[in-house]
Amino acid sequence: MRKLTCASLVVLLIVLRPLISHAQQPGSRNLRQGDSGADVTEIQRRLQRWGYYEGPISGTFGPRTLAAVQAFQRRHGLPVTGIIASRTFGALGIARRTAAAAPNRAAAVTPTRGVSPNDLQLLARAVYGEARGEPFEGQVAVVAVIMNRIRSPLFPNTVSGVIFQPLAFTAVADGQFYLTPNAEAFRAAQLALNGWDPSGGALYYFNPRTATSAWIWTRPYIKTIGRHRFLR
């Protein structure tokens, strides 16, 4: 029985090895902050060679790599998303491999692939309650903060857990969360689920005109979109 189990494991590894290897090839998947692998290593090498990246060649897509990618995109007239997809791969001189591309764990998320319709409804309510009237980019950034928290070990790992964490969002506390979201809120939620993060990887945001917490001012600043400041 033990020999049979070992033989099965060997066969499984032989079958999976080409898939794992393909997923690590540059261009085989979209890349964004939090990803790791040989493809990230190659991106870091190219960005370092061209003077955009000064960090270690670690194979991990961290904040330094994100900043380098955004600087590269800005310099080449690309959308400054921080996500390496078809156009950015092309500018980096990497052919996009689409035949059997491995899905990016964040950028490919849709309500039918890991996020339920109820989660989409929660995200739309959150952005409508927190950021209606803000620039559309700012609305997407608010949803991106929620998604960044889900991926962070500092916060709950579900949409509902993050949104309903005590004192996390003003709209939940004052009841605006329960207003009916408009189509723009749903669109902002979906774009953030698809991988757009205008916040630059932020975990926090606040309106400096209404903030009452002194602690929030101590967080590292990333950018301002509309009336919100986004922070790490």
Side-chain angles (χ1 to χ4, degrees):
M1 186 67 181
R2 186 173 298 174
K3 290 182 179 179
L4 180 61
T5 301
C6 292
S8 299
L9 287 173
V10 170
V11 171
L12 182 62
L13 287 173
I14 292 172
V15 171
L16 291 179
R17 185 174 180 181
L19 298 177
I20 295 170
S21 175
H22 179 80
Q24 297 298 314
Q25 293 179 13
S28 64
R29 58 173 178 163
N30 292 347
L31 294 172
R32 60 165 291 146
Q33 188 171 15
D35 288 331
S36 60
D39 46 0
V40 177
T41 299
E42 179 59 24
I43 296 298
Q44 289 175 330
R45 284 174 178 160
R46 294 189 182 218
L47 291 172
Q48 187 181 75
R49 191 182 310 139
W50 297 331
Y52 292 94
Y53 179 65
E54 298 180 353
I57 305 299
S58 62
T60 298
F61 198 137
R64 287 187 179 182
T65 306
L66 174 66
V69 169
Q70 290 175 326
F72 179 85
Q73 290 172 329
R74 191 175 295 111
R75 177 68 178 80
H76 288 77
L78 300 168
V80 185
T81 62
I83 299 167
I84 304 175
S86 297
R87 292 179 63 186
T88 304
F89 276 121
L92 286 165
I94 296 173
R96 187 71 168 94
R97 303 171 187 269
T98 58
N104 179 2
R105 65 185 177 88
V109 170
T110 68
T112 58
R113 295 174 66 182
V115 178
S116 69
N118 182 64
D119 285 340
L120 180 61
Q121 177 78 219
L122 292 176
L123 291 168
R125 286 183 178 275
V127 68
Y128 188 73
E130 289 278 317
R132 66 184 183 280
E134 289 293 300
F136 183 69
E137 180 182 0
Q139 294 182 49
V140 179
V142 165
V143 185
V145 167
I146 296 172
M147 303 310 296
N148 291 339
R149 289 188 179 189
I150 291 171
R151 290 186 286 267
S152 169
L154 302 176
F155 297 91
N157 61 0
T158 63
V159 170
S160 60
V162 168
I163 289 176
F164 293 112
Q165 188 174 25
L167 305 178
F169 294 97
T170 302
V172 174
D174 65 15
Q176 293 188 68
F177 172 82
Y178 299 99
L179 297 173
T180 301
N182 59 14
E184 187 173 58
F186 277 98
R187 190 160 66 93
Q190 187 62 68
L191 285 172
L193 288 173
N194 288 346
W196 186 19
D197 183 1
S199 79
L203 291 174
Y204 306 93
Y205 65 89
F206 75 107
N207 184 336
R209 294 183 180 180
T210 60
T212 57
S213 168
W215 173 85
I216 196 66
W217 290 89
T218 68
R219 304 301 306 175
Y221 171 80
I222 300 176
K223 63 169 64 174
T224 297
I225 306 175
R227 291 172 292 182
H228 286 143
R229 293 190 180 189
F230 291 85
L231 319 162
R232 289 191 174 85

